[in-house]
Amino acid sequence: MKRLTILTAFLLALLSCSRPTEQNFDWDNAVIYEMNVRQYTPEGTFAAAQQQLPRLERLGVDVIWLMPIYPIGVKERKGTLGSYYAVSDYCAVNPEFGRLEDFDAFLAAAHQQGFKVILDWVANHTSPDARWINECPADWYERDSLGNTVVQYDWTDIAALNYDNKDVWKAMEAAMNFWMERGIDGFRCDMACEVPLEFWQEAISGLRSEWPDMYMLAEGENSDLHKISGFNTSYAWELHHLLNDIAQGKKGIPELLAYVEKDAAVIPDGATRLMFTSNHDENSWAGTEFERMGEAARAMAVLTFTLPDSQPLIYTGQEMGWNKRFEFFEKDAIPAWEENDHTDFYHGLIDLRHKNKALSEGSFEVISTDDSTLVFDRTLPDNKVRVSVQLRAPWKYEITAE
């Protein structure tokens, strides 16, 4: 039963042609790849990452999400290299990765090979020594009674921006516009839930007046990120933690179906949820999918590609079964890439997704359940995919399409 019956025997090179073309790009049906530029190659540069694009083309992913590429603050820096999310200048690139011209070359090559490229955008805060700290009025930042910038959580390497000041709104939108003018396709917005919905609404509306197809992904789960702000996609954090619990035997089919029903009631038509078994936060701080999910990791990945309203995500290294937590503030690169059975597995899921619109647009119907196996259909008038997943050991799955 542990197989993908749709085209898994095809050679990777032959399957790569199934990725959507520029003329018919379908964001809802796309698969996103999160690239950790620092750890992606031993060099950790745009130029080295550019050399890996043919491999991602063979894999079949559609969208490359680059983790923050901007200069990192020095003040209160964590570790040797610092956090990508402690941005010191929104309109420049981290010299660790190369020059702005190197980014432009990467972007041009990615577009030429059919990818969309989105940038990680950190609107909630900057580093405590960012350009705006010195160049802009003090009230651009949240400050305590002594006038010091404010940090959140244990993020001692950041300074929180003050969104009561509309000048911050204008400057943030202008910085986003800078990158749109360079040709990117949209943004993944870090901690979007910490920034006012009305800011996102204004910024997204303004940018889309010039770039109507701009894609916006919110790190947040509030449905108002779609209804008010206009994001295309938001995170399925609740589902992610539920999948971890199912893999660990703490929860099962009833809880999964309750989640699907509940989320369908709140997410608006046309919106999607980013579904994943790993990402940069989970990998570095909670552990790899193999640490958290063990032998269930592939069955959980199948669900992220087939549940309703899904926008599947693959994180750096998952396509080769990289079972290591990346250091977050240091260089900790994958030494060399290889294509193996993990590559085949993800490529099969991606190709299944591309060839079956029912997985992005079809209805969801539970066909049968027992104490361990869930069978459901995703259906359009001319396309049906049946998914059977055993949600306890030995974690079997089977997918058929017609």
Side-chain angles (χ1 to χ4, degrees), residues 117-192:
V117 178
I118 63 174
L119 297 187
D120 213 324
W121 196 252
V122 190
N124 178 63
H125 55 263
T126 70
S127 69
D129 55 355
R131 285 186 57 186
W132 287 1
I133 292 281
N134 298 315
E135 296 177 4
C136 302
D139 66 353
W140 279 40
Y141 286 85
E142 294 185 13
R143 295 183 183 270
D144 62 20
S145 60
L146 299 177
N148 299 310
T149 57
V150 173
V151 303
Q152 294 164 291
Y153 311 107
D154 61 346
W155 302 344
T156 54
D157 57 345
I158 65 98
L161 286 160
N162 175 23
Y163 276 85
D164 289 336
N165 187 331
K166 289 297 185 73
D167 288 337
V168 173
W169 295 33
K170 296 174 185 176
M172 191 62 67
E173 183 177 341
M176 296 172 78
N177 186 78
F178 171 86
W179 293 102
M180 290 301 298
E181 287 183 340
R182 298 200 83 83
I184 68 161
D185 302 292
F187 298 93
R188 176 269 182 187
C189 297
D190 183 68
M191 297 298 293

Side-chain angles (χ1 to χ4, degrees), residues 207-218:
L207 290 166
R208 283 196 177 134
S209 67
E210 182 71 21
W211 294 281
D213 296 326
M214 180 183 71
Y215 174 82
M216 294 294 289
L217 164 61

Side-chain angles (χ1 to χ4, degrees), residues 380-401:
L380 288 173
D382 60 348
N383 181 210
K384 183 172 78 173
V385 179
R386 175 157 293 183
V387 181
S388 176
V389 186
Q390 183 169 310
L391 295 179
R392 69 179 184 190
W395 307 103
K396 298 176 182 179
Y397 51 83
E398 182 173 356
I399 307 173
T400 59

